[in-house]
Amino acid sequence: GPQICKTSSVQLVGHIAPGSTAMTPAFMVAPKAFLGGAPLQPLSVGDMRARATRMDAVVDGAPAQHRGITATTCMALSAAVAASFGSGRRRKTKTPCRTVFRALSAKTIEVVKATAPVVAPNASAITADFYPRLLNNNPAAWAFFNKTNQKKGLQQQALADAVVGFASNIDNLGVLEPVVNKMAHRHCALGVTPELYQLVHDTLMASIGEVLGDAVTPEIGGEWSNAVMALAEICITSEENLYKAAEGRAGGWRGYKDFTLVKKHRVGTDTVSFDFAAVDQPGAAIEFTPGQYLTIRCPDLKSEAPRHYTVTNKPGDSFLQCTTRHVHGSEDTPAGVVSSYMHTQLEEGDTVQLAPPFGVFTKANALANVGDVKFVTAGIGLTLAKSLSQPGGVKTAGLLHVDRSDNHTADMVKTINAGFVSTVYGKSRGEIMSAIKEYGAAASDSDTFILCGPVPFMRSAKDTLQEAGAQNIQYELFGTGSMK
């Protein structure tokens, strides 16, 4: 880990080529002091594991805050660092360097499962320590985190839930597949790379040590470290597959690239659609899946994390469109930094950066088994219904849309092809819930209701639909958090 790397010189040893059983003399590095100090020859996998075990014993004797960082993790970090230096000799290596992580062993599963009841009540405290530690020590990491969500504690709670969920289900990770899949899509939208997982691991282990103190024995710290890195390996593999899929689609690409705002058109009060065309392929069709979101970076807002907006045009168009509501803010809620910029300063001809569309709230993923869909939306949540009602989306049997007035989204409602459409504008909460209850009571048992809008609205709508007898209810949450 970092403590070892700071105090010891290192030597290039080798790396494991994917799918092979032998070491090749390339990018793996290991501290000389713990490997006997003599120059090393290429090692077999067995030799490397034996040496890693010796190094683990040394790390177990390190200060408490570093005990969770095992020697195998140290070698993985060093491999990533070494691979980042581009000497001509290394570039000639035909087999790419691959960071090596430990698989989940029976011992790791046993220890993490046994200690999960201790970690769970402290998960919020751990994540509250984690984010300031991560962001204060690595200011560049702000590029991945929404400052408003940080202030509200939404990201802290989301990470706490993820930690508890992983620890509680470490012996049955299949149940976490939907969560991991959703997380992988969001990471790809943000441009997360494998190297960042090491930083997260090290910071999380330090926070666990800080909060739990002496309860984190060398054994417990080591096994939790192994578990976190095993989860990282799962995420890295999943995300690489997603990057390749996005790159391989018609008009696809990897990471962020420049797009020009070719059309900015108002569709209602404080509601604007933005059409972006790729600078390098302005007329090329762009494929994606209805229900996915685009991710935008505005060059003039370098200190702000990117924002995610549902794609509201149809797949195959030569542009990507998002439709956003201008968040003015109030005494309790700050104005939306990016939405304000887009509505008041971004003009046609300006350049932004977009990541490919990602997201799992699609017919192929989260909605794979739904039949007829009836939407219940509020405000800008209508964009989800517009997206999913496009070709390749779901069978839209109905839409009930709520808004403060018909000035905001009424024109967009008219573009949605649904068997039944009802709107509730400027009504009281009681009147809105009465309309939703009537809407739910008229549905069949096979109908699926999809909710999208502000969280308090979705909570009330869900309760009301359940009272009306609705059995299948799903929701899409814009941003970080949950319906808790």
Side-chain angles (χ1 to χ4, degrees):
Q3 182 73 4
I4 296 174
C5 293
K6 288 179 181 178
T7 59
S8 305
S9 59
V10 297
Q11 178 189 338
L12 287 173
V13 178
H15 77 284
I16 300 177
S20 76
T21 57
M23 301 291 290
T24 56
F27 302 114
M28 184 65 77
V29 294
K32 288 182 182 178
F34 301 134
L35 296 177
L40 295 174
Q41 299 300 316
L43 301 176
S44 68
V45 175
D47 287 338
M48 181 56 78
R49 287 174 177 162
R51 292 178 186 275
T53 301
R54 287 173 52 197
M55 293 167 69
D56 285 340
V58 174
V59 176
D60 284 346
Q65 65 267 34
H66 299 298
R67 287 176 187 164
I69 305 170
T70 67
T72 304
T73 302
C74 169
M75 295 194 301
L77 171 62
S78 301
V81 173
S84 70
F85 292 96
S87 73
R89 177 182 172 185
R90 289 175 188 151
R91 282 195 293 268
K92 293 178 182 178
T93 303
K94 293 182 179 180
T95 304
C97 173
R98 182 176 185 272
T99 303
V100 181
F101 298 101
R102 286 182 174 178
L104 282 175
S105 66
K107 182 65 173 178
T108 296
I109 293 173
E110 176 188 354
V111 170
V112 172
K113 189 78 174 178
T115 56
V118 177
V119 173
N122 293 283
S124 294
I126 290 170
T127 58
D129 179 88
F130 169 84
Y131 279 107
R133 186 185 295 269
L134 175 71
L135 297 169
N136 290 338
N137 293 333
N138 307 276
W142 274 113
F144 300 97
F145 298 103
N146 185 305
K147 293 178 181 178
T148 300
N149 290 340
Q150 278 289 307
K151 290 178 182 178
K152 293 181 177 180
L154 297 177
Q155 288 169 335
Q156 292 89 329
Q157 186 58 52
L159 179 58
D161 291 343
V163 169
V164 173
F166 177 58
S168 302
N169 296 282
I170 193 169
D171 55 345
N172 184 23
L173 292 180
V175 302
L176 298 179
E177 184 176 352
V179 176
V180 172
N181 193 23
K182 183 176 182 179
M183 180 171 61
H185 275 261
R186 182 55 58 90
H187 286 178
C188 288
L190 290 169
V192 169
T193 59
E195 292 78 10
L196 295 173
Y197 280 98
Q198 185 68 53
L199 178 62
V200 169
H201 162 273
D202 295 349
T203 307
L204 182 60
M205 294 309 303
S207 294
I208 290 174
E210 177 68 25
V211 172
L212 299 182
D214 292 341
V216 184
T217 65
E219 179 189 31
I220 292 173
E223 299 305 340
W224 267 87
S225 174
N226 293 342
V228 171
M229 293 309 286
L231 177 60
E233 177 76 346
I234 294 171
C235 292
I236 289 169
T237 300
S238 176
E239 287 158 23
E240 178 58 23
N241 290 335
L242 290 175
Y243 280 128
K244 289 179 179 178
E247 195 173 20
R249 294 183 297 206
W253 70 100
R254 178 188 287 247
Y256 286 87
K257 76 172 184 176
D258 289 343
F259 276 71
T260 301
L261 177 61
V262 294
K263 187 177 181 180
K264 179 179 180 180
H265 44 117
R266 189 170 299 279
V267 297
T269 303
D270 292 333
T271 309
V272 173
S273 289
F274 301 84
D275 297 358
F276 300 98
V279 171
D280 61 346
Q281 295 176 305
I286 303 174
E287 290 296 333
F288 61 91
T289 304
Q292 292 187 319
Y293 52 83
L294 61 79
T295 303
I296 181 170
R297 286 186 184 273
C298 300
D300 292 342
L301 300 175
K302 294 181 180 179
S303 64
E304 286 295 321
R307 296 297 194 269
H308 313 286
Y309 299 113
T310 301
V311 183
T312 50
N313 64 295
K314 68 179 183 299
D317 285 338
S318 60
F319 61 91
L320 289 176
Q321 179 190 89
C322 65
T323 303
T324 72
R325 175 73 59 87
H326 187 181
V327 182
H328 290 285
S330 62
E331 292 183 3
D332 300 325
T333 305
V337 176
V338 176
S339 73
S340 295
Y341 173 82
M342 291 177 66
H343 280 249
T344 63
Q345 298 184 52
L346 191 65
E347 301 294 343
E348 292 181 6
D350 289 347
T351 299
V352 299
Q353 291 187 317
L354 299 185
F358 287 103
V360 300
F361 208 77
T362 65
K363 180 64 176 174
N365 277 288
L367 306 176
N369 298 316
V370 304
D372 289 354
V373 168
K374 294 190 173 181
F375 288 97
V376 179
T377 62
I380 203 62
L382 180 64
T383 56
L384 180 69
K386 181 177 181 181
S387 179
L388 283 171
S389 64
Q390 302 280 6
V394 299
K395 182 180 179 182
T396 306
L399 167 68
L400 188 152
H401 180 62
V402 177
D403 216 326
R404 294 192 296 270
S405 75
D406 61 359
N407 296 328
H408 294 285
T409 48
D411 288 346
M412 197 189 310
V413 169
K414 298 174 184 177
T415 68
I416 296 175
N417 183 22
F420 169 84
V421 176
S422 178
T423 55
V424 183
Y425 295 131
K427 301 297 184 179
S428 67
R429 181 184 181 282
E431 291 173 308
I432 292 170
M433 292 304 132
S434 177
I436 292 175
K437 188 172 184 178
E438 182 179 349
Y439 182 54
S444 68
D445 291 345
S446 61
D447 289 339
T448 295
F449 288 88
I450 294 180
L451 315 180
C452 192
V455 171
F457 166 80
M458 289 196 292
R459 289 195 194 110
S460 298
K462 181 180 179 182
D463 291 343
T464 300
L465 287 171
Q466 288 176 332
E467 291 174 6
Q471 299 181 22
N472 308 309
I473 302 174
Q474 296 199 44
Y475 65 90
E476 172 72 323
L477 185 68
F478 288 167
T480 301
S482 67
M483 286 269 279
K484 291 182 179 180

